[in-house]
């Protein structure tokens, strides 16, 4: 671990000082030799905050956190079946920034920005600029929800909804809490892992005062993402009444073994977070090298069922276009 990188700067500063230069990242990690295998697509550059880099091991080209963020030549390879919009989401926006795919919940993309760029991201080709709700759209979104009484939960997503300022985020919370039918507000975010200081007192106070259930789904793929500082911030969120659950993506060479998955579940639990979903990779162009054979995923899952208490086993699911829920992987297939 590279302790000199650990910083307690406020989250905005950490966000603006994220590493965006491959040369700098490789120098910091003593991995200059990797330069030859780098390729950076114009639409999706390198971006990683220093606190996340500090959780990597210098000199280790196979570090599971590094592999999630380091652009790689393999992204250039076109693989049949891996497409720009694997979930056909571009067709499911009734109004700008709002996705209504599942009966009781709608998803709002409050920003296209992320603190970190994950190479496997299924939204890496998404045209956020064309899909960002402006403040005028708060009203349209409120009317949409009111006209759909079956909706009781709003998911703030992105991009990363915690990459916006408290002021903007609180404006969304105010808007949503004023809609009586809503019982739950959910945030899908990777920021607590990437810049834990994002869970600042003002945010936690505001969340603890909400009249709605607040659920935070952190996107943690590997136990090494949760160091002591990160675990402390997560515990604070839990004390503030936030329900913490995790969704991970099954990534080849990063977390596709029984050992890494059990360590992840246990580390999450120690930090007050329960596993929720383990997603099979969405087939997005540029990410085929992270995908696992489905038979591998299934055999791994059987081992997890045997190794962990039931409450630490995430649901193994796949997101498919035009399905009304995340589809459970059939673990009896072929048996
Ligand atoms: C994943 C997702 C949800 C939430 O699904 P849950 O199964 O409730 O976690 C809602 N809307 C969209 C568009 C999604 O992709
Ligand atoms: S934080 Fe989430 S949305 Fe942002 S790049 Fe990573 S996977 Fe994609």
């Amino acid at each position: 671990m590279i302790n000199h990188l650990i910083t307690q700067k406020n989250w905005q500063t950490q966000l603006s000082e994220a590493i965006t230069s491959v040369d700098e990242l490789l120098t910091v990690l003593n991995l200059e030799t990797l330069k030859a295998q780098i390729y950076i697509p114009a639409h999706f550059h390198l971006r990683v905050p220093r606190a996340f880099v500090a959780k990597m091991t210098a000199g280790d080209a196979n570090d599971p956190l590094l592999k999630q963020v380091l652009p790689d030549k393999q992204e250039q390879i076109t693989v049949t079946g891996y497409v720009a919009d694997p979930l056909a989401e571009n067709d499911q926006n009734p109004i700008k920034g709002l996705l209504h795919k599942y009966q009781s919940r709608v998803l709002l993309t409050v920003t296209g920005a992320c603190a970190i760029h994950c190479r496997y991201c299924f939204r890496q080709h998404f045209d956020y600029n064309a899909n960002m709700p402006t403040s005028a759209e708060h009203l349209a979104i409120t009317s949409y929800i009111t006209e759909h009484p079956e909706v009781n939960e709003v998911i703030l997503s992105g991009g990363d909804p915690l990459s916006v300022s408290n002021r903007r985020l609180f404006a969304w919370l105010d808007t949503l809490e004023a809609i009586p039918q809503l019982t739950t507000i959910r945030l899908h975010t990777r920021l607590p892992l990437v810049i834990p200081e994002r869970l600042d007192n003002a945010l936690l106070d505001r969340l603890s005062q909400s009249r709605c259930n607040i659920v935070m789904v952190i996107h943690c793929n590997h136990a090494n993402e949760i160091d002591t500082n990160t675990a402390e911030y997560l515990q604070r969120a839990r004390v503030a009444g936030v329900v913490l659950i995790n969704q991970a993506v099954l990534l080849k060479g990063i977390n596709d073994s029984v050992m890494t998955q059990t360590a992840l579940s246990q580390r999450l639990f120690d930090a007050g977070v329960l596993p929720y979903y383990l997603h099979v990779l969405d087939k997005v162009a540029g990410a085929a090298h992270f995908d696992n054979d489905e038979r591998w995923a299934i055999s791994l899952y059987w081992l997890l069922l045997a190794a962990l208490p039931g409450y630490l086993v995430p649901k193994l699911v796949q997101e498919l276009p035009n399905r009304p829920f995340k589809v459970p992987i059939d673990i009896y297939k072929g048996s």
Side-chain angles (χ1 to χ4, degrees), residues 44 114 116-118 120-121 159-160 190 219:
F44 198 52
C114 289
I116 187 169
H117 286 175
C118 316
Y120 55 85
C121 181
D160 196 313
R190 209 153 145 61
H219 291 201

Side-chain angles (χ1 to χ4, degrees), residues 37-105:
Q37 72 181 57
I38 305 294
Y39 150 79
I40 306 181
H43 71 275
F44 198 52
H45 60 83
L46 169 82
R47 178 170 185 88
V48 57
R50 287 161 206 274
F52 196 77
V53 177
K55 298 173 192 175
M56 299 174 186
T57 304
D60 182 3
N62 287 317
D63 183 277
L65 277 52
L66 176 65
K67 282 177 127 179
Q68 294 181 49
V69 300
L70 190 65
D72 190 293
K73 270 184 178 166
Q74 294 178 87
E75 293 175 29
Q76 279 176 292
I77 304 170
T78 305
V79 181
T80 313
Y82 292 79
V83 298
D85 180 23
L87 307 180
E89 282 189 342
N90 288 344
D91 313 331
Q92 272 165 327
N93 287 41
I95 39 177
K96 237 203 261 179
L98 184 140
L99 276 174
H100 191 187
K101 237 171 114 173
Y102 304 152
Q103 190 167 298
S104 64
R105 47 245 189 261

Side-chain angles (χ1 to χ4, degrees), residues 6 85 101 130 135 197 236 271 294-295 301 318 323 329:
I6 291 174
D85 180 23
K101 237 171 114 173
S135 20
E197 287 71 22
R236 276 191 221 178
E294 194 181 70
R295 278 168 312 176
Y301 198 71
Q318 183 173 26
R323 294 294 195 92
I329 299 288

